Amino acid sequence: MSGQRYDYGRAGLVGIGTPQANPTVEAELRILMPPNVLLAVSRLVSAETASLDRLRDYLERMHVAIGQFDTLRPAVYGFACTGSSYLADRAHERALVAGLTERFGYPIVTATDAIDAELRRIGARRIALAAPYPAELVDAAAAYWRAAGYEVASVRRIETGIGDTRGIYTLGSADARPAADALAQMDVDAVLLSGTGMPSLALLADPPAGPVILSSNLCLARSLCRAIGIAEPDPTDWAPRLAAALSPPRQGAIDQ
């Protein structure tokens, strides 16, 4: 935990880096993590117009996003973009993260490292993958997990109708359910819903019967909680926060 004591964040101060147009990471991590964790969010920004170049830029310019915190010092920083890792050379990414950890003085957890940690913790070796990416990035994701030592038994692309990776932000949990339902029928140890921009908590709160279903944001939240030494997200705790987040706005009283 960082040395500075703030009124908020008595359980820890967690930094998050999220792609610039991503509306999901902040919402889901605030639901998953307890209210006494302070989340400080920086935007991963790139001027690149091509989707995959933009994702590569997010990783290479992570130092800029972390630098947005100025004198605010999180206990840990979560890099909430799986696509960037899928496109990177693994050795280069590790060296970059190690260098930034030394430079800023606190650990950095990538979403893919968090997923890998969770898969290993539950003993999963054979997985099914669903992702709302363009075909090239879906292929890169499958290759990434195979190179990490997992058997990827099935890969399903969730269609967004938009060629740009920003299409993921048009989806809801309901859009992931058909893929999750189908993959849950397979003989696998886990189903991975990859992509921090795709909402998934409503699905995770009411999963189909079968293997464990994991999402990028759930795995990242679990890793970040472990990093600051608090209990991991439990559905009995976060389900009420999810229900509140999904509820319609209350109509205010109108003075006559």
Side-chain angles (χ1 to χ4, degrees):
M1 185 171 174
S2 53
Q4 176 68 49
R5 171 69 74 175
Y6 300 100
D7 272 8
Y8 306 109
R10 297 305 175 97
L13 170 56
V14 172
I16 301 292
T18 182
Q20 52 199 11
N22 188 317
T24 308
V25 168
E26 290 150 290
E28 292 204 332
L29 290 187
R30 290 190 189 282
I31 291 167
L32 288 167
M33 303 184 81
N36 59 351
V37 170
L38 176 59
L39 295 180
V41 180
S42 63
R43 290 280 157 179
L44 305 170
V45 176
S46 171
E48 297 289 345
T49 56
S51 294
L52 303 193
D53 290 340
R54 192 164 58 244
L55 290 172
R56 294 184 181 97
D57 215 17
Y58 291 157
L59 182 66
E60 296 301 324
R61 291 171 51 81
M62 194 195 310
H63 65 284
V64 177
I66 297 176
Q68 293 172 23
F69 290 141
D70 190 39
T71 58
L72 184 68
R73 291 183 58 79
V76 62
Y77 182 80
F79 180 74
C81 185
T82 48
S84 297
S85 295
Y86 293 151
L87 296 170
D89 174 81
R90 188 65 174 129
H92 171 68
E93 182 187 44
R94 286 193 179 280
L96 186 150
V97 169
L100 292 178
T101 296
E102 182 176 359
R103 173 177 171 180
F104 289 101
Y106 44 81
I108 296 168
V109 178
T110 66
T112 46
D113 277 345
I115 293 168
D116 185 47
E118 195 63 25
L119 289 172
R120 294 183 186 281
R121 195 165 65 138
I122 66 175
R125 303 309 306 165
R126 179 178 164 86
I127 67 173
L129 171 68
Y133 304 139
E136 183 178 353
L137 187 53
V138 171
D139 292 343
Y144 179 97
W145 293 115
R146 290 187 176 112
Y150 298 96
E151 179 186 354
V152 181
S154 182
V155 179
R156 179 167 292 220
R157 181 170 175 253
I158 300 171
E159 183 59 59
T160 67
I162 301 174
D164 192 285
T165 53
R166 295 188 184 102
I168 189 174
Y169 308 140
T170 67
L171 300 178
S173 288
D175 296 299
R177 187 168 290 277
D181 287 344
L183 295 177
Q185 304 304 310
M186 299 192 63
D187 179 22
V188 295
D189 302 317
V191 174
L192 171 60
L193 304 177
S194 183
T196 63
M198 180 175 65
S200 62
L201 293 189
L203 171 58
L204 296 179
D206 182 27
V212 174
I213 297 182
L214 300 173
S215 74
S216 299
N217 289 334
L218 175 64
C219 294
L220 183 58
R222 287 178 174 172
S223 281
L224 294 173
C225 284
R226 289 197 296 271
I228 61 174
I230 66 171
E232 295 174 27
D234 185 289
T236 59
D237 294 324
W238 60 257
R241 294 195 290 269
L242 173 64
L246 296 179
S247 64
R250 291 188 303 171
Q251 296 298 315
I254 299 177
D255 293 332
Q256 298 296 325

